[in-house]
Amino acid sequence: MTKTIQPPMIGFGTFNSFQDDEKVAEAVREAIRIGYRHFDCAHMYKNEKAIGKAFRDAIAAGEVTRERLYICSKLSCEDMAPEDVEPACRKTLEDLGLDYVDCYMMHWPTRMTKESRVVNEAEGGKWEFDVVWSGDRKGIAESYAAMERLVDLGLARSLGVSNFDIRLLGDLLADCRIPPLTNEVELHPYLAQFDLVEYCHKMNVHPVAYSPLGKMGYKSPGQPDLLSDPVIQCIAEETGKTPAQVVLRWNVQRGASVIPKSLTPSRIASNYDVLDWTLTASQTARLDGLDSDCRFVRVDWFDFDVKPPVSVNTTPPGQALIKHGEVDEHGFYRNNFGRAGKHLHTEVIIKRGLLEPEDLAANAKFLLPEKCLNAPIHIITDTVVDKIYGDQVLEGLRAAGLNVHKAVMRSDEGDESGESSTEHHKTMGELMACADLILERGINKNSCIISLGGGVVNNLAGVLA
């Protein structure tokens, strides 16, 4: 069942330093009323019973249905032995009062002994523990294989990991049967982790940002206050938003879900209000420039400073870099791209002169799959290409009797190199605008999306598909 779920972009964190379980439960209930549907839980947080009651009460009150909730939990380090994985998940389900979780994550790439435990709950918790292994490829693969059985049993709809770097994630993707849906890591403008986020997107692993507002409670000596940064304060003033909204939007705009936590109703509501506006390219660049590798969350059982070796292969497994195509009986050169187990399929089609309306009209039935001919078809292009080819492609396909629509994303006439570019408009806002337009015009399971443009347009078309 994994990979069939899209984690909501705005989530709600539930770690509260082992304190005030009932207040956390009240905050969860308030978050549901406001509209949150993504809730990030963990056995390690020791508050799942109280949170589970909040879920049940909200469902009983008709505020939400179970199907609309996306509930995550995590496998603790002391339960990483393969034989302990299923009992640990069942304990979480019992505490939460659920039949399944939407995503069950490996909390840390570290296995502790079964006797390890929290001995002091102050300032985030003090652990008494012994490490069996940390960052060990074989150990991670064995524990994750036991987690895959949870999907087979229907106890988890998908799997995920947390605190995995490129090396660990790449190794796991090569070793696993069910790829992780998510990788939950610390992400904010002071710790942008650009390479890791890019790698996650390339490997179809959805990044989820914990501590997206920095450290809001206790801090280690010398740690900065993210939301007081002058750049963030200035952008907040420019946008009329709060500093918290600015940094949350920054992550959402680059395709990472965020899971801020608050016990204050007004802040819970404010943190949710980051979906219907965008940061400009200039504002995004200024926030990108704050990256200083400043990590707020550090633990004694895992060393974040151990960097992956330069030999790590970040090429998606099983995806060929070069694939030969062929010319069919209609004179079309065709090349197909896809990956085993993936539903989406891309076809590259080339024929000289094909963009002329009369050629499109004559060849449309050969150009597109037969099942698409009676379904709504959507062309995705940009303003520059649209001026040259957009209307003639639309005219040609409509002349063939097809139900075709066009969505145009913004493009700059000339970037720093003097070339036209859509790069600055590769934002969540642009994606959602195109998605809304397509939904308004109509789409069904036989629809196809045609990319008419360069790499950014191709990317957008793929994401929309």
Side-chain angles (χ1 to χ4, degrees):
M1 295 174 71
T2 193
K3 289 286 184 185
T4 64
I5 310 165
Q6 172 62 48
M9 298 303 292
I10 309 299
F12 191 79
T14 62
F15 179 58
N16 196 48
S17 305
F18 309 108
Q19 299 172 0
D20 301 321
D21 293 359
E22 294 306 319
K23 289 184 178 179
V24 174
E26 291 171 11
V28 166
R29 187 75 183 273
E30 179 65 18
I32 290 173
R33 294 189 191 103
I34 289 168
Y36 288 81
R37 296 296 180 261
H38 176 178
F39 292 89
D40 182 74
C41 309
H43 175 71
M44 186 181 280
Y45 301 163
K46 300 187 179 299
N47 55 13
E48 288 189 322
K49 283 187 177 180
I51 292 169
K53 184 177 185 304
F55 292 147
R56 294 192 299 276
D57 289 348
I59 291 170
E63 296 167 359
V64 72
T65 62
R66 171 63 185 96
E67 293 72 26
R68 295 296 303 277
L69 293 172
Y70 176 87
I71 300 172
C72 311
S73 190
K74 306 183 190 76
L75 178 70
S76 292
C77 298
E78 70 273 21
D79 293 321
M80 288 277 279
E83 64 271 17
D84 291 333
V85 170
E86 184 181 332
C89 181
R90 290 188 181 276
K91 171 61 175 169
T92 275
L93 293 175
E94 178 185 342
D95 288 347
L96 290 172
L98 302 175
D99 296 325
Y100 65 92
V101 287
D102 295 276
C103 187
Y104 196 59
M105 288 179 271
M106 185 179 291
H107 204 152
W108 291 91
T110 299
R111 178 182 166 188
M112 298 178 184
T113 59
K114 192 66 176 174
E115 297 72 31
S116 300
R117 59 195 176 93
V118 176
V119 294
N120 184 345
E121 296 181 349
E123 296 189 349
K126 176 68 174 176
W127 279 76
E128 187 176 275
F129 66 92
D130 289 306
V131 170
V132 179
W133 49 254
S134 185
D136 178 71
R137 178 173 182 172
K138 183 173 183 291
I140 290 170
E142 290 174 348
S143 296
Y144 193 86
M147 292 172 64
E148 290 175 322
R149 177 164 164 74
L150 302 176
V151 177
D152 300 334
L153 293 172
L155 303 179
R157 293 190 66 197
S158 68
L159 301 177
V161 293
S162 184
N163 299 298
F164 272 49
D165 59 21
I166 291 175
R167 177 182 66 85
L168 294 173
L169 187 57
D171 287 346
L172 178 61
L173 287 167
D175 296 338
C176 69
R177 173 171 61 92
I178 300 176
L181 176 71
T182 57
N183 184 20
E184 186 176 305
V185 294
E186 183 178 346
L187 294 174
H188 46 72
Y190 284 177
L191 186 68
Q193 303 208 69
F194 293 114
D195 290 344
L196 177 58
V197 170
E198 180 183 1
Y199 182 66
C200 285
H201 286 312
K202 182 163 73 170
M203 306 305 288
N204 296 315
V205 177
H206 186 75
V208 178
Y210 73 69
S211 296
L213 304 178
K215 190 69 75 69
M216 301 302 292
Y218 63 92
K219 290 187 178 71
S220 301
Q223 285 188 328
D225 182 354
L226 174 67
L227 299 186
S228 295
D229 188 283
V231 172
I232 294 171
Q233 292 277 335
C234 182
I235 294 173
E237 186 173 338
E238 291 171 6
T239 56
K241 303 295 181 179
T242 68
Q245 288 173 320
V246 168
V247 297
L248 292 174
R249 178 67 211 182
W250 173 81
N251 254 322
V252 167
Q253 202 156 306
R254 65 188 189 136
S257 291
V258 291
I259 48 171
K261 184 227 51 173
S262 177
L263 302 182
T264 306
S266 61
R267 288 179 184 159
I268 296 172
S270 176
N271 290 344
Y272 189 71
D273 182 23
V274 296
L275 291 177
D276 61 352
W277 57 278
T278 60
L279 297 164
T280 67
S282 172
Q283 290 165 343
T284 300
R286 286 150 64 194
L287 291 167
D288 289 350
L290 296 178
D291 182 35
S292 58
D293 202 28
C294 173
R295 190 179 292 278
F296 290 102
V297 178
R298 290 188 177 274
V299 295
D300 295 330
W301 55 81
F302 183 73
D303 187 356
F304 286 105
D305 294 324
V306 175
K307 300 298 183 184
V310 295
S311 60
V312 169
N313 178 14
T314 61
T315 300
Q319 182 167 317
L321 298 180
I322 298 176
K323 184 178 178 182
H324 295 292
E326 58 184 23
V327 177
D328 67 14
E329 67 272 24
H330 305 293
F332 292 95
Y333 169 85
R334 295 181 182 270
N335 208 337
N336 302 309
F337 296 89
R339 287 179 57 195
K342 302 290 188 261
H343 297 296
L344 293 182
H345 177 83
T346 298
E347 188 166 24
V348 178
I349 305 166
I350 302 173
K351 186 177 182 183
R352 188 179 301 277
L354 187 59
L355 291 181
E356 295 301 324
E358 57 271 20
D359 281 326
L360 276 174
N363 288 285
K365 64 180 181 180
F366 307 121
L367 174 67
L368 300 174
E370 183 177 356
K371 65 182 180 181
C372 299
L373 299 180
N374 295 316
I377 296 168
H378 299 274
I379 298 170
I380 309 298
T381 188
D382 61 56
T383 50
V384 172
V385 176
D386 184 51
K387 289 178 182 178
I388 305 171
Y389 294 117
D391 288 339
Q392 70 183 57
V393 171
L394 191 67
E395 175 188 338
L397 292 176
R398 283 180 173 172
L402 302 181
N403 178 16
V404 187
H405 307 278
K406 182 175 65 174
V408 183
M409 71 178 295
R410 291 174 294 169
S411 181
D412 298 326
E413 292 287 342
D415 63 6
E416 296 83 357
S417 66
E419 299 289 333
S420 64
S421 172
T422 53
E423 195 68 35
H424 291 162
H425 303 289
K426 189 166 64 174
T427 67
M428 188 62 67
E430 200 74 21
L431 168 65
M432 297 308 294
C434 285
D436 287 342
L437 197 59
I438 287 173
L439 290 172
E440 179 183 325
R441 291 168 171 172
I443 191 167
N444 64 38
K445 66 180 181 180
N446 292 323
S447 293
C448 69
I449 293 178
I450 299 174
S451 168
L452 184 65
V456 174
V457 171
N458 289 338
N459 290 342
L460 178 62
V463 173
L464 286 167

